[in-house]
Amino acid sequence: MGSDALLTLGGAGRFAPTPTGHLHLGNARTALLAWLSARQLGLRNILRVEDLDPRAIPDGCLEGQYRDLDWLGLVYDECPRIGGPAGPYRQSERFALYDEVLAQLDSMGLLYPCWCSRREIQLATRAPHASDEGPVYPGTCRPSHPQPLGDLNQLPVKRDRRPALRLNARAAMERLGQSEVVFTDLIAGPQRYDMVSSLGDFVVRRVDGVASYQVACSCDDVSMGCSLVLRGADLLPSTARQWLLLRLLELPIPRYAHTGLVMNHDGQRLAKRDGAIALGQLRDRGVSASTVVAYLAELSGLPATSNLDDLTNAFKMSTLSAGDVCLRDDLDT
Ligand code: GLU
């Protein structure tokens, strides 16, 4: 696998879970809608495992997620278990590709090392701007004259710390000749992000030397030929960062579709630790997969059926809502 892998854009949709917890109804709804949308558009369905942190994966978690997706009847054309032309399909096996991409971004003079701890960033942040990734980086380690760093494996250790690498957002936007990231989401509509003031210099390589989610996910989407990325609306700010990375790398940008999230009865977003709605627990309670699929379909404005062919035929992106949906009480055997 080389950087050529980044140049193929075929037709695929994907579901890309991080195996750090059990799949819950919110994850299952995203998986179902991503699968149906790809199928309805005649795209291949890819399952990619986002395990950038293999040590953070609890024993049996990945197998549990496979079991849940199998149970729902979501069969993938390409996935870690059967492989495929764009494999490997686990991010932990794709680090060489991410390193190439980081070197390419560095050659543009857009990266700089950052030795700040989370706490130092918090203390140095006077303005109350916070993004989904925490406070907008105050720029403590940002050089005044951006230039390529060269060998990214030989960066100095300071105060006993290895550096993370950040993307210089201002320099990146200047390179593109744009002041804002602008794209149209297939569900959430037109989006605008002032990269510098609202998202800032984000991390592209973590302190442990591994590419960040933003780099791995965006490059994988392109190298796996994903022309459609359907995922939860909590990832919209990430899409702005990923859009920027792909534009800098002059790679094709997928169409993005962000659905509202599933909220629990208290109006709170479902969390992985919210065991009550883990698919495995529903299964243990005797709830059938067809009940779950029909329930999730109805929750998404589709017919209340578990027949995936019927749901594929009925699927319309335009009927999906960017607003959050609330669980109902009637999920029973
Ligand atoms: N791996 C991410 C998660 O489980 C999702 C990434 C994506 O769909 O882009 O939250």
Side-chain angles (χ1 to χ4, degrees), residues 23 36 53 75 86 99-100 126 128 130 172 187 238 240 277 292 317 321:
L23 293 185
L36 292 173
D53 266 321
V75 174
D99 286 347
E100 273 184 50
R126 263 166 265 136
I187 300 172
S238 284
I277 36 74
V292 172
M317 199 70 87
S321 156

Side-chain angles (χ1 to χ4, degrees), residues 217-298:
C217 177
S218 53
C219 294
D220 283 346
D221 283 338
V222 176
S223 67
M224 292 181 177
C226 298
S227 41
L228 175 66
V229 170
L230 186 150
R231 57 188 172 192
D234 54 327
L235 288 168
L236 264 169
S238 284
T239 298
R241 299 182 184 96
Q242 294 174 16
W243 181 100
L244 174 59
L245 291 172
L246 294 177
R247 278 292 308 276
L248 290 168
L249 296 162
E250 295 180 15
L251 290 168
I253 298 182
R255 294 306 307 272
Y256 292 101
H258 290 79
T259 66
L261 302 177
V262 179
M263 315 299 262
N264 68 17
H265 303 295
D266 303 325
Q268 280 164 343
R269 196 182 141 188
L270 300 188
K272 282 185 178 159
R273 62 182 174 279
D274 201 347
I277 36 74
L279 294 185
Q281 296 208 350
L282 291 171
R283 193 164 54 233
D284 293 347
R285 256 173 45 196
V287 179
S288 70
S290 50
T291 301
V292 172
V293 171
Y295 174 87
L296 293 173
E298 198 181 12

